[in-house]
Amino acid sequence: MKDILTAPFMVEMIRTATNMYAHGWDERNGGNISLLLDEADVREYLDTDNVLRTVPTGFEAPELEGKYFLVTGTGKYFKNVQYAPDVNLGIVRLTDGGKKAELLWGYTDGGRFTSEFPAHMMSHVARLRVDPENRVVMHCHPANLLAMTYVHDLDERAFTRTLWQMCTECIVVFPDGVNVLPWMLCGTNEIGIATAQKMATARLVVWAQHGIYGAGKDLDETFGLIETAEKAAEIYLKIAHLPLVNTITDEQMHLLEARFGVKAREGYLQ
Ligand code: 2HA
Ligand code: ZN
């Protein structure tokens, strides 16, 4: 059996959490990540018959039966992941139609998966339905996107169009746009269901006055997705109080669509 701390998925997870902390997106215990693992990869590092503990999830997700996830722990600080991955991260396998999570590695202080586990698992289900390649769900609290939800209309088309207009790359990186949930109580199945519904049509879901969810096929791509939206929100906050002299027009957006082979969300451009 190989050392799990050398597994590419583990190394990438640790680097990503560290980088997110460095970006200021994950103060204290803020944020959480879940990464869907291939069983064959897990078996290179763990005896998958050795279940350490079984934890009820409080929801059902039959589509995820038998699936393995590397997940950040509840109450854990991204800042500390690199120094004690086995305390701050865990590998679980969902069983009993998703109602139970079997711990195979990690959470060595007796901890458990993130309080946002419902939103993560339900979002995995939603994204896998539209993209079988999806592996990552990532949540964090980037300051500019968060700030934007205090001063910008939360209408999804309006919010998306503003972000697209802030950097030329945006429509190329997230042509599916950004969906938005109003403020809701976090950590609940209700916000999990609502997030998953929004994930059916976009890989980015803003939680107003809280943060953002991103989904993607690997950690790098998902990080980059949030990074691009956050950069756009930063530009918005720099210019929102100034007279607007120039913008990226819809005509120019159509040129970007053609040049980069992407299709903007239906009805979002004129
Ligand atoms: O505590 O970010 O949404 C982690 C969170 C909750
Ligand atoms: Zn949060």
Side-chain angles (χ1 to χ4, degrees):
M1 212 68 82
K2 296 196 263 181
D3 176 4
I4 196 159
L5 293 180
T6 67
F9 58 76
M10 187 67 70
V11 171
E12 200 56 32
M13 184 73 152
I14 294 167
R15 285 182 183 162
T16 302
T18 304
N19 195 20
M20 290 173 76
Y21 175 70
H23 274 67
W25 298 352
D26 298 277
E27 73 291 341
R28 199 173 182 274
N29 63 321
N32 23 75
I33 313 172
S34 57
L35 170 64
L36 174 58
L37 304 173
D38 287 341
E39 180 165 42
D41 288 341
V42 177
R43 278 181 193 270
E44 287 185 41
Y45 303 93
L46 291 179
D47 172 4
T48 52
D49 293 329
N50 185 23
V51 176
L52 305 174
R53 280 186 270 145
T54 300
V55 187
T57 63
F59 58 84
E60 289 181 34
E63 295 93 332
L64 300 180
E65 176 72 29
K67 294 217 184 297
Y68 296 78
F69 291 91
L70 175 58
V71 191
T72 52
T74 183
K76 297 296 190 269
Y77 293 22
F78 274 33
K79 176 174 77 69
N80 298 334
V81 169
Q82 63 175 321
Y83 305 112
D86 61 329
V87 177
N88 295 290
L89 304 173
I91 292 179
V92 296
R93 175 176 54 210
L94 291 187
T95 59
D96 201 7
K99 283 188 282 194
K100 287 183 189 144
E102 296 177 328
L103 180 66
L104 301 172
W105 177 86
Y107 308 142
T108 53
D109 63 350
R112 53 184 285 166
F113 40 76
T114 169
S115 60
E116 303 294 359
F117 204 56
H120 277 255
M121 294 301 110
M122 294 175 193
S123 292
H124 276 285
V125 171
R127 286 312 305 168
L128 286 168
R129 274 185 200 143
V130 289
D131 177 12
E133 302 262 278
N134 197 83
R135 293 289 176 273
V136 178
V137 173
M138 184 181 281
H139 166 63
C140 56
H141 306 158
N144 294 292
L145 277 164
L146 224 158
M148 196 171 153
T149 68
Y150 286 86
V151 296
H152 195 284
D153 187 344
L154 295 182
D155 172 75
E156 289 167 346
R157 183 176 181 275
F159 202 92
T160 297
R161 284 179 54 83
T162 295
L163 290 177
W164 282 352
Q165 286 162 355
M166 293 305 111
C167 312
T168 296
E169 288 268 283
C170 280
I171 194 167
V172 180
V173 176
F174 51 94
D176 44 342
V178 177
N179 285 341
V180 184
L181 281 182
W183 188 94
M184 287 178 74
L185 187 61
C186 53
T188 62
N189 284 354
E190 287 69 33
I191 201 169
I193 292 163
T195 306
Q197 277 168 357
K198 295 292 185 188
M199 279 281 178
T201 49
R203 293 163 299 147
L204 286 169
V205 179
V206 164
W207 283 6
Q209 294 85 46
H210 182 138
I212 191 161
Y213 268 75
K217 67 176 166 33
D218 58 40
L219 288 161
D220 234 16
E221 185 199 79
T222 314
F223 180 96
L225 186 61
I226 293 176
E227 187 181 27
T228 306
E230 169 63 359
K231 178 69 164 282
E234 182 181 354
I235 311 287
Y236 172 72
L237 292 177
K238 284 184 195 293
I239 64 150
H241 60 295
L242 300 171
L244 193 68
V245 179
N246 304 299
T247 190
I248 305 171
T249 64
D250 281 29
E251 206 170 36
Q252 290 166 334
M253 300 266 188
H254 286 303
L255 292 175
L256 289 163
E257 281 185 298
R259 172 69 180 81
F260 291 95
V262 297
K263 186 79 195 75
R265 176 94 161 251
E266 192 63 42
Y268 275 31
L269 291 180
Q270 271 134 37

